[in-house]
Amino acid sequence: MTVVVVEARGAVHGMADPHVVVLFGATGDLAKRKLLPGLFHLSNSHLAPEIRIVATSLDDLDTEGFKKVAEKACKEFSTRKITNESWKDFVDRLSYVPVGAGADALAKAVKEHRGQMPEGTRVLAYLSVPPKAALAAITTLDKAGLAQEANVIMEKPFGTDLASAKSLNSSIHEVLKERQIFRIDHFLGKEPAQNILAFRFANGLFEPIWNRNFIDHIQIDVPEKLTLEGRAVFYEPTGAYKDMVVTHLMQILAFVAMESPTALDAKSITIEKTKVFDSMRPLDPKRVVRGQYKGYRDEPGVDPESETETFIALECFIDNWRWAGVPFFLRTGKSLAAGQRIISIAFHEPPSSMFPANSGVGEHGPDHLTFDLADASKVSLSFYGKRPGPGMKLDKLSLQFAMQETENVGDVLEAYERLILDAMRGDHTLFTTADGIERLWAVSQPLLDNPPPVKGYEMFTWGPNAIHQLIAPRAWRLPFERVWRSKK
Ligand code: BG6
């Protein structure tokens, strides 16, 4: 099977202007795991313009001290090879200003970099900080005289319900224009997520069957093996729904469910995504299973009586002509049996079958189209076919595609790299919008108001037993009955 890779930005794919990146929260977990290694890769790659970085955080470090932090982080977390030469080139582009030094010191550091860079150098601020600190960071940018011109990437969470999301958005809008704001949802930056758009809209084969007449149900399933990993302060008030579902899973759902946009650009894609969110039925708490892994309450920093869910599975519906009556089952959680990220589209079974009862037809569920959003990016179409030999025995067979087998696999950017580059270009296509996020909070309100009690589950299982009743008479695709084929 061949999948055509289409640039989701449409025709716009010029080199961005040189950039000074102001990285707030530069010593935090995300910066260490993803942002610094990502900036290192971009800075060394032919895909990005010249980049220099002013790092800032609450830590009282100087530039030399920060360079050591950055080196340790990149060596530990970069998936790319770091040579002495490439490291030297990158590290010379870093400087550090502690938050305590104030806005003037930040402005001075940006100015110093700019003095050594070409004319037309722009500023991108990355706010890798919690929401309260994000507003303070925007004020600092403003005081440093950068808020008028900078593009600003903001991290989730964007509020915790509709009222707080609205209030956050209006506070941000006091300083920044909407076009300057890039609300990141890193799932949209994943190469396989964009491949959903290519797959759906660059081929004539699938779109005619992409609707309620042919599709029985859809699963978006993102189990994680990770436990709390020391993130109690963030996770306790957040939980799996706010951390993963109202953000990543619903954004992916929009790519799967939206109508074809009039163009592959930010405006057209946003219009279609927003229509999906607008058509979403408010969640029914009775169709939600919340779980908590046994042992969670003993984690450092967790309330011994915590009701935070570390697992969630739910059913939701999109009430439009394409999807009326088709359930979307979403599941995610921590400390589960496997780490996977799949979208599984289950097709209706044939209306009647002439195959004998013992042929095996239907025994392995309906035909499925499966997208694997893991970095290896796979797509598989499974169907029943004849087992060679006498008689008519049927097996579940599949056509499989893996991005790793394509020629350009070396050009794959990690999600954060791709999105930083897009923000430098001013391209909002793969970012979320204030309206979309507010609508998702509105859809979530019945669940936020009446969350069902959390049910315990053993660590490294698939969650509470109630997940089977939720999806019955259908079944969860994971764990897969058959493993993905790997190239021999
Ligand atoms: C983050 C969540 O946004 O996404 C984490 O806060 C989660 O809890 C992570 O583990 C998953 O991202 P990825 O790219 O590793 O699937």
mmCIF file of all heavy atoms in Angstrom, residues 20-28 30-40 52-58 66 70 90 94-99 106 110 123-129 137 141 153 155 416 420:
data_model
loop_
_atom_site.group_PDB
_atom_site.id
_atom_site.type_symbol
_atom_site.label_atom_id
_atom_site.label_comp_id
_atom_site.label_asym_id
_atom_site.label_seq_id
_atom_site.Cartn_x
_atom_site.Cartn_y
_atom_site.Cartn_z
ATOM 1 N N VAL A 20 15.265 34.233 17.101
ATOM 2 C CA VAL A 20 15.693 34.085 18.488
ATOM 3 C C VAL A 20 14.523 33.425 19.212
ATOM 4 O O VAL A 20 13.403 33.938 19.179
ATOM 5 C CB VAL A 20 16.001 35.440 19.157
ATOM 6 C CG1 VAL A 20 16.385 35.232 20.616
ATOM 7 C CG2 VAL A 20 17.105 36.169 18.406
ATOM 8 N N VAL A 21 14.785 32.269 19.814
ATOM 9 C CA VAL A 21 13.738 31.585 20.564
ATOM 10 C C VAL A 21 13.916 31.919 22.040
ATOM 11 O O VAL A 21 14.993 31.694 22.604
ATOM 12 C CB VAL A 21 13.828 30.052 20.366
ATOM 13 C CG1 VAL A 21 12.769 29.341 21.218
ATOM 14 C CG2 VAL A 21 13.662 29.691 18.896
ATOM 15 N N VAL A 22 12.882 32.477 22.647
ATOM 16 C CA VAL A 22 12.930 32.736 24.087
ATOM 17 C C VAL A 22 12.194 31.579 24.761
ATOM 18 O O VAL A 22 10.983 31.422 24.588
ATOM 19 C CB VAL A 22 12.262 34.084 24.439
ATOM 20 C CG1 VAL A 22 12.359 34.338 25.941
ATOM 21 C CG2 VAL A 22 12.912 35.219 23.655
ATOM 22 N N LEU A 23 12.951 30.769 25.469
ATOM 23 C CA LEU A 23 12.373 29.545 26.036
ATOM 24 C C LEU A 23 12.103 29.728 27.531
ATOM 25 O O LEU A 23 13.039 29.717 28.348
ATOM 26 C CB LEU A 23 13.345 28.380 25.787
ATOM 27 C CG LEU A 23 12.943 27.018 26.336
ATOM 28 C CD1 LEU A 23 11.588 26.570 25.802
ATOM 29 C CD2 LEU A 23 14.011 25.970 25.981
ATOM 30 N N PHE A 24 10.835 29.925 27.867
ATOM 31 C CA PHE A 24 10.447 30.020 29.283
ATOM 32 C C PHE A 24 10.289 28.596 29.838
ATOM 33 O O PHE A 24 9.810 27.707 29.139
ATOM 34 C CB PHE A 24 9.105 30.755 29.425
ATOM 35 C CG PHE A 24 9.191 32.232 29.156
ATOM 36 C CD1 PHE A 24 9.089 32.727 27.852
ATOM 37 C CD2 PHE A 24 9.378 33.141 30.197
ATOM 38 C CE1 PHE A 24 9.162 34.091 27.605
ATOM 39 C CE2 PHE A 24 9.452 34.511 29.951
ATOM 40 C CZ PHE A 24 9.350 34.985 28.656
ATOM 41 N N GLY A 25 10.681 28.411 31.091
ATOM 42 C CA GLY A 25 10.610 27.059 31.675
ATOM 43 C C GLY A 25 11.725 26.185 31.129
ATOM 44 O O GLY A 25 11.564 24.966 30.976
ATOM 45 N N ALA A 26 12.877 26.797 30.874
ATOM 46 C CA ALA A 26 13.947 26.116 30.139
ATOM 47 C C ALA A 26 14.633 24.990 30.909
ATOM 48 O O ALA A 26 15.365 24.199 30.305
ATOM 49 C CB ALA A 26 14.996 27.150 29.707
ATOM 50 N N THR A 27 14.387 24.920 32.228
ATOM 51 C CA THR A 27 15.008 23.818 32.981
ATOM 52 C C THR A 27 13.952 22.792 33.398
ATOM 53 O O THR A 27 14.235 21.878 34.164
ATOM 54 C CB THR A 27 15.728 24.351 34.240
ATOM 55 O OG1 THR A 27 14.771 25.124 34.986
ATOM 56 C CG2 THR A 27 16.912 25.221 33.884
ATOM 57 N N GLY A 28 12.737 22.951 32.894
ATOM 58 C CA GLY A 28 11.643 22.040 33.254
ATOM 59 C C GLY A 28 11.726 20.716 32.493
ATOM 60 O O GLY A 28 12.557 20.527 31.593
ATOM 61 N N LEU A 30 9.637 19.203 30.307
ATOM 62 C CA LEU A 30 9.378 19.193 28.860
ATOM 63 C C LEU A 30 10.564 19.764 28.092
ATOM 64 O O LEU A 30 10.959 19.249 27.041
ATOM 65 C CB LEU A 30 8.105 19.995 28.547
ATOM 66 C CG LEU A 30 7.735 20.051 27.072
ATOM 67 C CD1 LEU A 30 7.311 18.672 26.566
ATOM 68 C CD2 LEU A 30 6.614 21.057 26.813
ATOM 69 N N ALA A 31 11.135 20.841 28.635
ATOM 70 C CA ALA A 31 12.289 21.451 27.959
ATOM 71 C C ALA A 31 13.423 20.437 27.859
ATOM 72 O O ALA A 31 14.066 20.294 26.807
ATOM 73 C CB ALA A 31 12.736 22.699 28.712
ATOM 74 N N LYS A 32 13.648 19.723 28.955
ATOM 75 C CA LYS A 32 14.768 18.769 28.947
ATOM 76 C C LYS A 32 14.494 17.589 28.017
ATOM 77 O O LYS A 32 15.365 17.156 27.270
ATOM 78 C CB LYS A 32 15.013 18.252 30.367
ATOM 79 C CG LYS A 32 15.666 19.284 31.260
ATOM 80 C CD LYS A 32 15.943 18.656 32.610
ATOM 81 C CE LYS A 32 16.520 19.673 33.564
ATOM 82 N NZ LYS A 32 16.349 19.285 34.954
ATOM 83 N N ARG A 33 13.286 17.064 28.086
ATOM 84 C CA ARG A 33 12.998 15.848 27.306
ATOM 85 C C ARG A 33 12.817 16.128 25.825
ATOM 86 O O ARG A 33 13.219 15.332 24.981
ATOM 87 C CB ARG A 33 11.707 15.194 27.800
ATOM 88 C CG ARG A 33 11.876 14.428 29.059
ATOM 89 C CD ARG A 33 10.532 13.928 29.560
ATOM 90 N NE ARG A 33 10.691 13.389 30.874
ATOM 91 C CZ ARG A 33 11.035 12.125 31.127
ATOM 92 N NH1 ARG A 33 11.194 11.286 30.145
ATOM 93 N NH2 ARG A 33 11.218 11.700 32.355
ATOM 94 N N LYS A 34 12.140 17.238 25.516
ATOM 95 C CA LYS A 34 11.733 17.441 24.119
ATOM 96 C C LYS A 34 12.256 18.718 23.483
ATOM 97 O O LYS A 34 12.696 18.709 22.339
ATOM 98 C CB LYS A 34 10.189 17.479 24.040
ATOM 99 C CG LYS A 34 9.520 16.188 24.434
ATOM 100 C CD LYS A 34 9.686 15.154 23.354
ATOM 101 C CE LYS A 34 9.038 13.838 23.708
ATOM 102 N NZ LYS A 34 9.415 12.764 22.806
ATOM 103 N N LEU A 35 12.145 19.857 24.224
ATOM 104 C CA LEU A 35 12.364 21.137 23.547
ATOM 105 C C LEU A 35 13.841 21.394 23.265
ATOM 106 O O LEU A 35 14.209 21.784 22.154
ATOM 107 C CB LEU A 35 11.734 22.285 24.347
ATOM 108 C CG LEU A 35 10.249 22.087 24.658
ATOM 109 C CD1 LEU A 35 9.706 23.231 25.486
ATOM 110 C CD2 LEU A 35 9.456 21.950 23.350
ATOM 111 N N LEU A 36 14.696 21.158 24.265
ATOM 112 C CA LEU A 36 16.122 21.400 24.008
ATOM 113 C C LEU A 36 16.663 20.404 22.974
ATOM 114 O O LEU A 36 17.315 20.827 22.003
ATOM 115 C CB LEU A 36 16.916 21.377 25.319
ATOM 116 C CG LEU A 36 16.626 22.596 26.225
ATOM 117 C CD1 LEU A 36 17.131 22.368 27.643
ATOM 118 C CD2 LEU A 36 17.231 23.873 25.635
ATOM 119 N N PRO A 37 16.363 19.095 23.118
ATOM 120 C CA PRO A 37 16.814 18.185 22.053
ATOM 121 C C PRO A 37 16.227 18.559 20.689
ATOM 122 O O PRO A 37 16.902 18.456 19.661
ATOM 123 C CB PRO A 37 16.303 16.810 22.508
ATOM 124 C CG PRO A 37 16.149 16.932 23.987
ATOM 125 C CD PRO A 37 15.753 18.359 24.240
ATOM 126 N N GLY A 38 14.980 19.018 20.690
ATOM 127 C CA GLY A 38 14.343 19.402 19.425
ATOM 128 C C GLY A 38 15.019 20.621 18.810
ATOM 129 O O GLY A 38 15.295 20.661 17.608
ATOM 130 N N LEU A 39 15.301 21.620 19.636
ATOM 131 C CA LEU A 39 15.968 22.826 19.121
ATOM 132 C C LEU A 39 17.378 22.488 18.658
ATOM 133 O O LEU A 39 17.875 23.035 17.667
ATOM 134 C CB LEU A 39 15.990 23.913 20.201
ATOM 135 C CG LEU A 39 14.618 24.567 20.457
ATOM 136 C CD1 LEU A 39 14.615 25.351 21.768
ATOM 137 C CD2 LEU A 39 14.247 25.492 19.281
ATOM 138 N N PHE A 40 18.023 21.567 19.363
ATOM 139 C CA PHE A 40 19.351 21.118 18.934
ATOM 140 C C PHE A 40 19.256 20.523 17.523
ATOM 141 O O PHE A 40 20.027 20.868 16.626
ATOM 142 C CB PHE A 40 19.905 20.072 19.921
ATOM 143 C CG PHE A 40 21.044 19.279 19.370
ATOM 144 C CD1 PHE A 40 22.314 19.847 19.257
ATOM 145 C CD2 PHE A 40 20.856 17.974 18.930
ATOM 146 C CE1 PHE A 40 23.363 19.120 18.710
ATOM 147 C CE2 PHE A 40 21.896 17.245 18.394
ATOM 148 C CZ PHE A 40 23.153 17.818 18.281
ATOM 149 N N ARG A 52 18.894 31.074 17.488
ATOM 150 C CA ARG A 52 19.601 31.275 18.748
ATOM 151 C C ARG A 52 18.588 31.251 19.873
ATOM 152 O O ARG A 52 17.417 31.561 19.640
ATOM 153 C CB ARG A 52 20.371 32.601 18.743
ATOM 154 C CG ARG A 52 21.607 32.521 17.890
ATOM 155 C CD ARG A 52 22.126 33.899 17.613
ATOM 156 N NE ARG A 52 23.302 33.802 16.792
ATOM 157 C CZ ARG A 52 24.550 33.896 17.243
ATOM 158 N NH1 ARG A 52 24.789 34.125 18.518
ATOM 159 N NH2 ARG A 52 25.572 33.802 16.418
ATOM 160 N N ILE A 53 19.046 30.897 21.047
ATOM 161 C CA ILE A 53 18.085 30.656 22.126
ATOM 162 C C ILE A 53 18.436 31.455 23.370
ATOM 163 O O ILE A 53 19.580 31.401 23.847
ATOM 164 C CB ILE A 53 18.073 29.158 22.476
ATOM 165 C CG1 ILE A 53 17.587 28.363 21.259
ATOM 166 C CG2 ILE A 53 17.175 28.868 23.681
ATOM 167 C CD1 ILE A 53 18.121 26.971 21.192
ATOM 168 N N VAL A 54 17.440 32.171 23.882
ATOM 169 C CA VAL A 54 17.566 32.774 25.202
ATOM 170 C C VAL A 54 16.709 31.928 26.128
ATOM 171 O O VAL A 54 15.484 31.890 25.982
ATOM 172 C CB VAL A 54 17.075 34.232 25.217
ATOM 173 C CG1 VAL A 54 17.193 34.805 26.628
ATOM 174 C CG2 VAL A 54 17.868 35.070 24.232
ATOM 175 N N ALA A 55 17.375 31.207 27.031
ATOM 176 C CA ALA A 55 16.642 30.341 27.944
ATOM 177 C C ALA A 55 16.369 31.106 29.224
ATOM 178 O O ALA A 55 17.199 31.916 29.659
ATOM 179 C CB ALA A 55 17.475 29.100 28.238
ATOM 180 N N THR A 56 15.201 30.848 29.812
ATOM 181 C CA THR A 56 14.904 31.513 31.072
ATOM 182 C C THR A 56 14.068 30.576 31.957
ATOM 183 O O THR A 56 13.302 29.750 31.444
ATOM 184 C CB THR A 56 14.194 32.879 30.840
ATOM 185 O OG1 THR A 56 13.847 33.426 32.097
ATOM 186 C CG2 THR A 56 12.966 32.771 29.973
ATOM 187 N N SER A 57 14.288 30.667 33.255
ATOM 188 C CA SER A 57 13.492 29.869 34.197
ATOM 189 C C SER A 57 13.707 30.455 35.591
ATOM 190 O O SER A 57 14.486 31.396 35.759
ATOM 191 C CB SER A 57 13.915 28.399 34.171
ATOM 192 O OG SER A 57 15.060 28.210 34.967
ATOM 193 N N LEU A 58 13.042 29.858 36.567
ATOM 194 C CA LEU A 58 13.188 30.365 37.940
ATOM 195 C C LEU A 58 14.550 30.006 38.522
ATOM 196 O O LEU A 58 14.991 30.590 39.504
ATOM 197 C CB LEU A 58 12.086 29.777 38.823
ATOM 198 C CG LEU A 58 10.660 30.253 38.517
ATOM 199 C CD1 LEU A 58 9.648 29.473 39.339
ATOM 200 C CD2 LEU A 58 10.519 31.751 38.797
ATOM 201 N N PHE A 66 23.680 26.917 32.601
ATOM 202 C CA PHE A 66 22.581 26.400 31.791
ATOM 203 C C PHE A 66 23.088 25.503 30.660
ATOM 204 O O PHE A 66 22.461 24.486 30.324
ATOM 205 C CB PHE A 66 21.739 27.541 31.206
ATOM 206 C CG PHE A 66 20.638 27.010 30.338
ATOM 207 C CD1 PHE A 66 19.541 26.380 30.917
ATOM 208 C CD2 PHE A 66 20.728 27.062 28.958
ATOM 209 C CE1 PHE A 66 18.543 25.819 30.120
ATOM 210 C CE2 PHE A 66 19.726 26.512 28.155
ATOM 211 C CZ PHE A 66 18.634 25.903 28.742
ATOM 212 N N ALA A 70 21.683 21.921 29.621
ATOM 213 C CA ALA A 70 21.219 21.606 28.257
ATOM 214 C C ALA A 70 21.988 20.411 27.692
ATOM 215 O O ALA A 70 21.407 19.531 27.042
ATOM 216 C CB ALA A 70 21.401 22.832 27.358
ATOM 217 N N PHE A 90 25.802 24.254 18.481
ATOM 218 C CA PHE A 90 24.532 24.563 19.157
ATOM 219 C C PHE A 90 24.761 25.365 20.433
ATOM 220 O O PHE A 90 24.113 26.378 20.685
ATOM 221 C CB PHE A 90 23.801 23.247 19.464
ATOM 222 C CG PHE A 90 22.503 23.435 20.187
ATOM 223 C CD1 PHE A 90 21.435 24.100 19.591
ATOM 224 C CD2 PHE A 90 22.322 22.943 21.476
ATOM 225 C CE1 PHE A 90 20.224 24.264 20.254
ATOM 226 C CE2 PHE A 90 21.112 23.107 22.148
ATOM 227 C CZ PHE A 90 20.066 23.773 21.537
ATOM 228 N N LEU A 94 23.398 29.458 22.717
ATOM 229 C CA LEU A 94 22.546 29.516 23.914
ATOM 230 C C LEU A 94 22.966 30.630 24.858
ATOM 231 O O LEU A 94 24.164 30.838 25.057
ATOM 232 C CB LEU A 94 22.682 28.216 24.717
ATOM 233 C CG LEU A 94 22.233 26.908 24.092
ATOM 234 C CD1 LEU A 94 22.492 25.764 25.070
ATOM 235 C CD2 LEU A 94 20.758 26.989 23.769
ATOM 236 N N SER A 95 21.994 31.294 25.458
ATOM 237 C CA SER A 95 22.317 32.122 26.615
ATOM 238 C C SER A 95 21.187 31.971 27.631
ATOM 239 O O SER A 95 20.109 31.454 27.294
ATOM 240 C CB SER A 95 22.518 33.582 26.220
ATOM 241 O OG SER A 95 21.339 34.095 25.692
ATOM 242 N N TYR A 96 21.460 32.377 28.855
ATOM 243 C CA TYR A 96 20.486 32.142 29.923
ATOM 244 C C TYR A 96 20.264 33.403 30.734
ATOM 245 O O TYR A 96 21.217 34.106 31.078
ATOM 246 C CB TYR A 96 20.991 31.033 30.855
ATOM 247 C CG TYR A 96 19.989 30.674 31.928
ATOM 248 C CD1 TYR A 96 18.942 29.815 31.657
ATOM 249 C CD2 TYR A 96 20.095 31.210 33.209
ATOM 250 C CE1 TYR A 96 18.001 29.496 32.641
ATOM 251 C CE2 TYR A 96 19.155 30.893 34.196
ATOM 252 C CZ TYR A 96 18.118 30.033 33.905
ATOM 253 O OH TYR A 96 17.191 29.714 34.859
ATOM 254 N N VAL A 97 18.997 33.675 31.024
ATOM 255 C CA VAL A 97 18.637 34.812 31.876
ATOM 256 C C VAL A 97 17.671 34.299 32.940
ATOM 257 O O VAL A 97 16.574 33.851 32.585
ATOM 258 C CB VAL A 97 17.926 35.908 31.046
ATOM 259 C CG1 VAL A 97 17.546 37.084 31.927
ATOM 260 C CG2 VAL A 97 18.772 36.367 29.887
ATOM 261 N N PRO A 98 18.037 34.320 34.225
ATOM 262 C CA PRO A 98 17.064 33.858 35.217
ATOM 263 C C PRO A 98 15.876 34.821 35.273
ATOM 264 O O PRO A 98 16.030 36.027 35.022
ATOM 265 C CB PRO A 98 17.846 33.886 36.542
ATOM 266 C CG PRO A 98 19.059 34.708 36.292
ATOM 267 C CD PRO A 98 19.305 34.761 34.819
ATOM 268 N N VAL A 99 14.679 34.270 35.576
ATOM 269 C CA VAL A 99 13.478 35.109 35.645
ATOM 270 C C VAL A 99 13.704 36.290 36.589
ATOM 271 O O VAL A 99 13.318 37.425 36.311
ATOM 272 C CB VAL A 99 12.257 34.253 36.110
ATOM 273 C CG1 VAL A 99 11.095 35.136 36.530
ATOM 274 C CG2 VAL A 99 11.840 33.307 34.995
ATOM 275 N N LEU A 106 16.195 40.270 29.949
ATOM 276 C CA LEU A 106 15.739 39.408 28.849
ATOM 277 C C LEU A 106 15.838 40.156 27.519
ATOM 278 O O LEU A 106 16.348 39.630 26.517
ATOM 279 C CB LEU A 106 14.294 38.980 29.107
ATOM 280 C CG LEU A 106 13.749 37.935 28.152
ATOM 281 C CD1 LEU A 106 14.333 36.572 28.467
ATOM 282 C CD2 LEU A 106 12.225 37.861 28.259
ATOM 283 N N VAL A 110 18.136 39.159 24.160
ATOM 284 C CA VAL A 110 17.575 38.987 22.809
ATOM 285 C C VAL A 110 18.280 39.942 21.850
ATOM 286 O O VAL A 110 18.669 39.566 20.732
ATOM 287 C CB VAL A 110 16.041 39.243 22.817
ATOM 288 C CG1 VAL A 110 15.481 39.294 21.405
ATOM 289 C CG2 VAL A 110 15.330 38.167 23.640
ATOM 290 N N VAL A 123 11.287 36.857 16.619
ATOM 291 C CA VAL A 123 11.308 36.277 17.971
ATOM 292 C C VAL A 123 10.151 35.289 18.123
ATOM 293 O O VAL A 123 9.011 35.587 17.772
ATOM 294 C CB VAL A 123 11.173 37.386 19.044
ATOM 295 C CG1 VAL A 123 11.128 36.779 20.448
ATOM 296 C CG2 VAL A 123 12.329 38.369 18.928
ATOM 297 N N LEU A 124 10.492 34.119 18.633
ATOM 298 C CA LEU A 124 9.475 33.132 18.981
ATOM 299 C C LEU A 124 9.620 32.837 20.465
ATOM 300 O O LEU A 124 10.703 32.457 20.919
ATOM 301 C CB LEU A 124 9.699 31.840 18.186
ATOM 302 C CG LEU A 124 8.770 30.675 18.551
ATOM 303 C CD1 LEU A 124 7.350 30.953 18.060
ATOM 304 C CD2 LEU A 124 9.282 29.367 17.946
ATOM 305 N N ALA A 125 8.540 33.032 21.222
ATOM 306 C CA ALA A 125 8.604 32.689 22.650
ATOM 307 C C ALA A 125 7.911 31.348 22.853
ATOM 308 O O ALA A 125 6.818 31.137 22.317
ATOM 309 C CB ALA A 125 7.919 33.770 23.474
ATOM 310 N N TYR A 126 8.547 30.465 23.574
ATOM 311 C CA TYR A 126 7.932 29.178 23.898
ATOM 312 C C TYR A 126 7.656 29.169 25.393
ATOM 313 O O TYR A 126 8.584 29.182 26.191
ATOM 314 C CB TYR A 126 8.862 28.015 23.512
ATOM 315 C CG TYR A 126 8.121 26.687 23.444
ATOM 316 C CD1 TYR A 126 8.116 25.940 22.282
ATOM 317 C CD2 TYR A 126 7.400 26.207 24.540
ATOM 318 C CE1 TYR A 126 7.402 24.740 22.209
ATOM 319 C CE2 TYR A 126 6.691 25.029 24.473
ATOM 320 C CZ TYR A 126 6.697 24.295 23.303
ATOM 321 O OH TYR A 126 5.993 23.120 23.240
ATOM 322 N N LEU A 127 6.361 29.156 25.769
ATOM 323 C CA LEU A 127 6.009 29.197 27.190
ATOM 324 C C LEU A 127 5.813 27.771 27.699
ATOM 325 O O LEU A 127 4.696 27.245 27.686
ATOM 326 C CB LEU A 127 4.734 30.015 27.413
ATOM 327 C CG LEU A 127 4.631 31.380 26.717
ATOM 328 C CD1 LEU A 127 3.435 32.156 27.267
ATOM 329 C CD2 LEU A 127 5.888 32.207 26.884
ATOM 330 N N SER A 128 6.900 27.161 28.113
ATOM 331 C CA SER A 128 6.816 25.786 28.608
ATOM 332 C C SER A 128 6.602 25.830 30.120
ATOM 333 O O SER A 128 7.425 25.348 30.909
ATOM 334 C CB SER A 128 8.107 25.057 28.246
ATOM 335 O OG SER A 128 8.099 23.770 28.782
ATOM 336 N N VAL A 129 5.505 26.465 30.504
ATOM 337 C CA VAL A 129 5.228 26.718 31.928
ATOM 338 C C VAL A 129 3.742 26.509 32.195
ATOM 339 O O VAL A 129 2.934 26.573 31.266
ATOM 340 C CB VAL A 129 5.604 28.179 32.307
ATOM 341 C CG1 VAL A 129 7.093 28.399 32.230
ATOM 342 C CG2 VAL A 129 4.880 29.187 31.417
ATOM 343 N N ALA A 137 4.680 35.198 32.154
ATOM 344 C CA ALA A 137 5.684 35.214 31.078
ATOM 345 C C ALA A 137 5.274 36.185 29.973
ATOM 346 O O ALA A 137 6.104 36.911 29.415
ATOM 347 C CB ALA A 137 5.855 33.806 30.512
ATOM 348 N N LEU A 141 7.309 39.369 28.580
ATOM 349 C CA LEU A 141 7.569 39.652 27.158
ATOM 350 C C LEU A 141 7.144 41.070 26.816
ATOM 351 O O LEU A 141 7.835 41.800 26.096
ATOM 352 C CB LEU A 141 6.759 38.708 26.270
ATOM 353 C CG LEU A 141 7.294 37.316 26.007
ATOM 354 C CD1 LEU A 141 6.291 36.555 25.150
ATOM 355 C CD2 LEU A 141 8.652 37.358 25.297
ATOM 356 N N ILE A 153 4.290 30.364 21.520
ATOM 357 C CA ILE A 153 3.746 29.000 21.645
ATOM 358 C C ILE A 153 3.336 28.784 23.091
ATOM 359 O O ILE A 153 4.125 29.027 24.010
ATOM 360 C CB ILE A 153 4.790 27.937 21.250
ATOM 361 C CG1 ILE A 153 5.245 28.139 19.805
ATOM 362 C CG2 ILE A 153 4.221 26.533 21.440
ATOM 363 C CD1 ILE A 153 6.192 27.071 19.299
ATOM 364 N N GLU A 155 1.662 26.115 26.002
ATOM 365 C CA GLU A 155 1.446 24.713 26.348
ATOM 366 C C GLU A 155 0.087 24.531 27.016
ATOM 367 O O GLU A 155 -0.413 25.429 27.676
ATOM 368 C CB GLU A 155 2.526 24.267 27.338
ATOM 369 C CG GLU A 155 3.762 23.692 26.685
ATOM 370 C CD GLU A 155 3.487 22.370 25.974
ATOM 371 O OE1 GLU A 155 2.556 21.649 26.357
ATOM 372 O OE2 GLU A 155 4.219 22.085 25.009
ATOM 373 N N TYR A 416 7.340 18.092 18.359
ATOM 374 C CA TYR A 416 7.661 19.445 18.827
ATOM 375 C C TYR A 416 8.526 20.182 17.809
ATOM 376 O O TYR A 416 8.385 21.396 17.632
ATOM 377 C CB TYR A 416 8.359 19.389 20.190
ATOM 378 C CG TYR A 416 7.399 19.081 21.311
ATOM 379 C CD1 TYR A 416 7.241 17.779 21.781
ATOM 380 C CD2 TYR A 416 6.624 20.080 21.886
ATOM 381 C CE1 TYR A 416 6.353 17.491 22.798
ATOM 382 C CE2 TYR A 416 5.724 19.803 22.906
ATOM 383 C CZ TYR A 416 5.592 18.510 23.360
ATOM 384 O OH TYR A 416 4.695 18.231 24.354
ATOM 385 N N ILE A 420 7.392 23.733 16.247
ATOM 386 C CA ILE A 420 8.208 24.941 16.457
ATOM 387 C C ILE A 420 8.506 25.582 15.093
ATOM 388 O O ILE A 420 8.391 26.788 14.909
ATOM 389 C CB ILE A 420 9.519 24.594 17.208
ATOM 390 C CG1 ILE A 420 9.212 24.242 18.664
ATOM 391 C CG2 ILE A 420 10.526 25.742 17.134
ATOM 392 C CD1 ILE A 420 10.402 23.687 19.449
#
